[in-house]
Amino acid sequence: MQTVRLNNGIEMPILGFGVFQIPDAKECEKSVIDAIETSYRLIDTAASYMNEQAVGNAIKNCGVAREELFITTKLWVQDTGYENTKKSFHKSLERLQLEYLDLYLIHQPYGDVFGSWRAMEELYKEGKIRAIGVSNFQPDRIMDLLMFGGETPPAVNQVETHPFCQQIENQSFLQENNIQIESWGPFAEGKNNIFQNELLLALSAKYNKSVAQIILRWLTQRGVVVIPKSVRKERMEENFNSLDFELDEADMESIKTLDTKTSLFFDHRNPEIIKWMGSRKLDI
């Protein structure tokens, strides 16, 4: 497995397994065990996915040593703030049945982010978290956190990144500030008929790889950490085998023509989206 080195020196696998939208506990547990058997070592979940307990059961029963795994979870909006973050973190740790996390992210750029960051810095210094970061933060919110958040810069920013929303400028900004970009939604959840896209199909035929493998390799060649999800083991294997070839530079450039520079899901600066996320109370 290829890795990236985070700004605090720890190594993170460049290809992992995500469990968003696997709410069924048995299916989630089986999927994570299948992924680990397929050789995935990075597992990404979140309190708001409501499946941390299932992920924890899989980690406990997978037969792979804890120190070989890289486990990420995230703090939901309703639990921002110093005290709430400490409580939420320990609840996540309990559900995951772990002694520590490899990466803990603020899931959305709303609420008392600075209070949460102070709490996360303390947990990081105590060795409860190996790296801390954020998700869905725009460059201005990242800079705000860098300037006023505390001593520890975020190690990772997990953002929507796929052929139709490529985050080229955002990635450059993050690189300048020594923050690792990580993709969620690498396949755009199938939007815009991504698996039937003519350019991607042509590259699929050229390299004798699936469209999914082309997309994943395009991301990892850019140095983007990626966490595709599937509940089918053959798809997990297919995704994992995206690292055994390289796209040539001309083909990397051709994929840039697909970029709309617009989210296919939601605008994090839209007041209605902020209102919806702020009012979404989960039993976590």
Side-chain angles (χ1 to χ4, degrees), residues 24-57:
D24 181 81
K26 286 185 178 178
E27 184 176 48
C28 182
E29 182 177 344
K30 182 181 184 302
S31 295
V32 173
I33 288 174
D34 284 346
I36 292 171
E37 286 178 353
T38 305
S39 296
Y40 289 89
R41 292 296 178 262
L42 163 58
I43 307 296
D44 178 280
T45 184
S48 67
Y49 300 170
M50 311 290 281
N51 57 19
E52 288 176 316
Q53 186 74 42
V55 171
N57 290 343

Side-chain angles (χ1 to χ4, degrees), residues 198-212 214:
E198 286 186 14
L199 172 60
L200 298 176
L201 283 170
L203 293 175
S204 171
K206 176 179 176 179
Y207 289 92
N208 195 28
K209 292 288 183 178
S210 69
V211 168
I214 296 294

Side-chain angles (χ1 to χ4, degrees), residues 189-238:
E189 293 183 12
K191 292 178 187 287
N192 288 8
N193 282 325
I194 193 168
F195 294 110
Q196 284 76 48
N197 180 272
E198 286 186 14
L199 172 60
L200 298 176
L201 283 170
L203 293 175
S204 171
K206 176 179 176 179
Y207 289 92
N208 195 28
K209 292 288 183 178
S210 69
V211 168
Q213 289 172 320
I214 296 294
I215 293 168
L216 294 176
R217 192 60 183 123
W218 165 73
L219 285 163
T220 55
Q221 264 185 243
R222 286 176 53 195
V224 178
V225 173
V226 66
I227 45 171
K229 178 213 84 174
S230 179
V231 296
R232 294 165 56 189
K233 195 167 185 181
E234 65 271 22
R235 289 277 187 235
M236 296 177 197
E237 292 169 351
E238 176 186 313

Side-chain angles (χ1 to χ4, degrees), residues 119-133:
M120 288 164 64
E121 278 192 312
E122 288 182 11
L123 292 163
Y124 170 64
K125 289 172 183 175
E126 291 165 10
K128 292 289 187 182
I129 314 170
R130 296 179 66 221
I132 55 177

